[in-house]
Amino acid sequence: MLIREYEKSSIASMGTEPGQTTGCAVMIQHYALRCCLSQLACMAEARHSFPPTCVLQCLHVRLVMQANGYKLDVDDWHKEVHDTLDYQQLLSKDLKTRELLGRLNLSKHILTNADARHAVKCLHQLGLSDCFHNIFCFENVQELAQKAGLISASTPVLCKPSRQVYQIVMEQIGAQPSETIFIDDSPRNIAAAHELGIFTVLVSDKVGVPHHVSGADLVVSHFSQLPEMFPDIFAPITNAAIHEEVPSIVPIKVMAS
């Protein structure tokens, strides 16, 4: 079974392009300022110290806000950071990735720290909405974590790179670590999955990234390199299948526009 992150452009252009990343960073600044966080008014200069994904940045800001007597509404955060993005300008149909996913003879699942609405918009714009069996996003992961008793005052949100998130997802899809391939562009996320015995693939097109990264069983610069490295799990190009849409085992809660 394949679990993959879709957000960054380095993963076969599936998700956040550089412009979108910059846009998110700007929206994060606006959100903090709108919440009267004068302590974060210089966020532009301090942004390099933030965790790499929007949800982890959300957790970072949550802690700062709580320390200063403010409460962070996660839904409001997602609306502020994502809803103003111009998805049509930032993303376009990715037929090459669609063809590769169609040839991949494994069940395919997305695990993202993003909210459902953002995930669905990205996949729709990329033309990949029907290429995956399940989408595990911020909302349904929190719901599953709550049911498992993993959410508490000290752990109000659970997301990657928590190992418990990978365990929740594998339980839902009926997979063992030894049967799972996890693809991500974050070394931190990769390392956590690797500790559970999952085969990990780090995708990074950054110059200077070594071929051997701690926690990564394989490092590639693009998703399209995988058929050459794993020919047994990819069908020949002439037999590429076009997936029919399959319903999610864990329903995605898409908030009303």
Side-chain angles (χ1 to χ4, degrees):
M1 302 200 180
L2 177 82
I3 303 175
R4 68 176 295 174
E5 165 69 77
Y6 77 95
E7 290 180 272
K8 304 291 192 304
S9 61
S10 58
I11 302 186
S13 300
M14 297 183 65
T16 306
E17 299 291 344
Q20 188 173 341
T21 303
T22 303
C24 286
V26 171
M27 290 303 102
I28 290 168
Q29 296 175 45
H30 289 174
Y31 182 85
L33 293 172
R34 184 169 66 80
C35 291
C36 302
L37 285 181
S38 59
Q39 295 90 338
L40 296 184
C42 296
M43 194 179 294
E45 290 77 10
R47 191 171 64 242
H48 65 274
S49 66
F50 280 16
T53 66
C54 286
V55 169
L56 292 182
Q57 292 173 1
C58 173
L59 300 180
H60 180 99
V61 175
R62 175 196 289 271
L63 294 175
V64 175
M65 292 179 73
Q66 288 178 341
N68 289 276
Y70 296 97
K71 182 179 179 181
L72 175 62
D73 184 300
V74 175
D75 290 338
D76 190 43
W77 164 274
H78 284 137
K79 183 177 180 180
E80 181 83 9
V81 173
H82 289 151
D83 283 7
T84 57
L85 295 174
D86 188 342
Y87 291 88
Q88 292 187 347
Q89 180 179 355
L90 293 168
L91 300 173
S92 58
K93 300 297 182 185
D94 192 341
L95 299 179
K96 183 176 182 179
T97 295
R98 182 177 178 85
E99 181 265 327
L100 287 171
L101 290 169
R103 291 170 52 202
L104 182 57
N105 296 321
L106 297 174
S107 60
K108 294 167 281 288
H109 311 266
I110 283 180
L111 170 60
T112 176
N113 284 339
D115 61 309
R117 185 160 51 187
H118 178 65
V120 169
K121 285 182 178 179
C122 287
L123 289 172
H124 174 74
Q125 194 64 27
L126 291 164
L128 304 175
S129 298
D130 57 350
C131 292
F132 297 90
H133 291 75
N134 298 288
I135 303 176
F136 294 91
C137 54
F138 180 82
E139 292 92 335
N140 53 23
V141 167
Q142 303 319 302
E143 182 179 341
L144 291 167
Q146 183 74 48
K147 290 180 179 178
L150 299 174
I151 301 296
S152 64
S154 60
T155 309
V157 172
L158 203 66
C159 63
K160 296 180 297 179
S162 170
R163 287 184 292 177
Q164 292 169 316
V165 170
Y166 305 112
Q167 292 169 327
I168 286 174
V169 170
M170 286 189 292
E171 180 180 349
Q172 289 296 311
I173 65 179
Q176 297 297 319
S178 59
E179 310 174 318
T180 304
I181 301 173
F182 177 65
I183 303 175
D184 203 296
D185 66 343
S186 165
R188 176 162 37 186
N189 293 344
I190 288 291
H194 183 78
E195 290 176 2
L196 292 173
I198 297 171
F199 188 90
T200 55
V201 179
L202 175 67
V203 182
S204 178
D205 58 1
K206 295 179 181 178
V207 176
V209 174
H211 293 292
H212 300 286
V213 176
S214 178
D217 293 299
L218 180 66
V219 179
V220 297
S221 60
H222 198 276
F223 180 63
S224 61
Q225 295 175 256
L226 294 182
E228 181 180 351
M229 298 178 177
F230 300 106
D232 293 342
I233 63 174
F234 282 89
I237 295 177
T238 54
N239 295 330
I242 302 298
H243 287 17
E244 295 181 357
E245 188 167 358
V246 288
S248 296
I249 295 173
V250 183
I252 301 171
K253 295 181 178 179
V254 182
M255 295 169 278
S257 300

